[in-house]
Amino acid sequence: MNKGKLFVISGPSGAGKSTVITRLLKQLSNVYFSISATTREPRRGERDGVDYHFIGKEEFEKLIKDDQLLEYAEFVGNYYGTPAIPVDEKLNAGYDVILDIETKGAEQVMSKRPDAISIFIFPGSFEILEQRLRLRGTDSEEKILGRLAQAKIECQKAEMYDYIIINDRFETACDEVTSIITAEKCKTAGRLHLLSE
Ligand code: 5GP
């Protein structure tokens, strides 16, 4: 059986990454979303073990020490990281795996897994981004300003990604991401064996 493909999706927080990912998980089969560990507090409606594994700082630092994370980063005062074992289990079982991670973590994944396919999602403009962060109504003013400052830094890293999606129209953005995943799965290297079987 072919191994699955690893997709890294980044973009400023508020770019609409999670909404796009939720949609494509419904549209595509055999795709697994990697559930990150984080030390940030759950937002209203978020569920432990579904949206994130919400853990304490000490527990997170133990994961780092025990080399259990494929990557991790500190983002606006909290740790975020990708547990390595579930990602490899799913890839080996033939599932495609999607990581929704910020740019420092994405750099680590790209250097450890050069075959990973990377997609950067931008909201269309910084004004739209600010509106979305404020509408979400979950972060303090300080956190919103921190996320906006971080967004500018992250956009400077967009050039290291394989693909850029402008999410000013949700449907188009979803179609584009779905097309990228579909096209990557049709690549000759992963299909040639089917002709000789
Ligand atoms: P939020 O707090 O809005 O859920 O996420 C903040 C940022 O952390 C987002 O850009 C998100 O992509 C990123 N993030 C979520 N999980 C991980 C992870 O496991 N590793 C890294 N490096 N970033 C993550």
Side-chain angles (χ1 to χ4, degrees):
M1 190 209 299
N2 262 355
K3 268 185 78 168
K5 288 183 181 282
L6 182 60
F7 292 90
V8 175
I9 301 189
S10 301
S13 125
K17 279 169 298 174
S18 348
T19 331
V20 170
I21 292 171
T22 305
R23 164 69 73 84
L24 62 95
L25 289 175
K26 285 191 188 139
Q27 282 177 342
L28 299 169
S29 51
N30 269 14
V31 179
Y32 168 78
F33 175 68
S34 157
I35 302 166
S36 299
T38 183
T39 59
R40 102 153 148 66
E41 289 295 314
R43 295 198 186 106
R44 204 177 326 121
E46 283 184 332
R47 287 171 296 162
D48 187 31
V50 177
D51 300 288
Y52 280 107
H53 299 290
F54 294 101
I55 62 175
K57 195 166 175 232
E58 266 179 32
E59 202 179 333
F60 197 103
E61 284 170 349
K62 183 157 182 348
L63 292 178
I64 300 174
K65 194 165 146 266
D66 295 346
D67 203 18
Q68 294 282 314
L69 298 174
L70 173 59
E71 60 71 39
Y72 72 94
E74 220 177 315
F75 182 89
V76 196
N78 284 299
Y79 278 131
Y80 294 81
T82 304
I85 292 172
V87 169
D88 284 322
E89 278 177 355
K90 292 291 177 185
L91 289 174
N92 290 333
Y95 286 86
D96 299 310
V97 175
I98 297 189
L99 310 182
D100 169 352
I101 61 178
E102 52 67 72
T103 49
K104 285 176 279 179
E107 271 179 303
Q108 297 166 42
V109 176
M110 288 177 203
S111 78
K112 280 189 187 167
R113 308 283 169 101
D115 54 341
I117 299 122
S118 54
I119 305 173
F120 188 87
I121 302 189
F122 182 70
S125 73
F126 285 104
E127 288 72 29
I128 296 176
L129 185 67
E130 184 166 359
Q131 265 174 23
R132 286 202 192 139
L133 289 174
R134 292 192 187 284
L135 274 175
R136 200 149 78 177
T138 47
D139 290 317
S140 63
E141 183 64 19
E142 187 195 347
K143 288 271 177 199
I144 290 174
L145 294 178
R147 280 171 187 270
L148 282 171
Q150 198 61 39
K152 300 216 160 136
I153 297 170
E154 293 203 280
C155 285
Q156 288 164 8
K157 302 252 184 88
E159 67 177 0
M160 72 183 191
Y161 288 76
D162 297 316
Y163 298 95
I164 293 182
I165 301 294
I166 307 294
N167 183 17
D168 52 358
R169 283 167 179 256
F170 176 66
E171 295 297 334
T172 311
C174 292
D175 287 348
E176 288 181 350
V177 179
T178 307
S179 307
I180 292 166
I181 296 178
T182 308
E184 289 288 342
K185 285 159 68 85
C186 295
K187 280 206 161 150
T188 303
R191 289 260 162 112
L192 204 52
H193 69 285
L194 296 173
L195 305 189
S196 55
E197 272 167 13

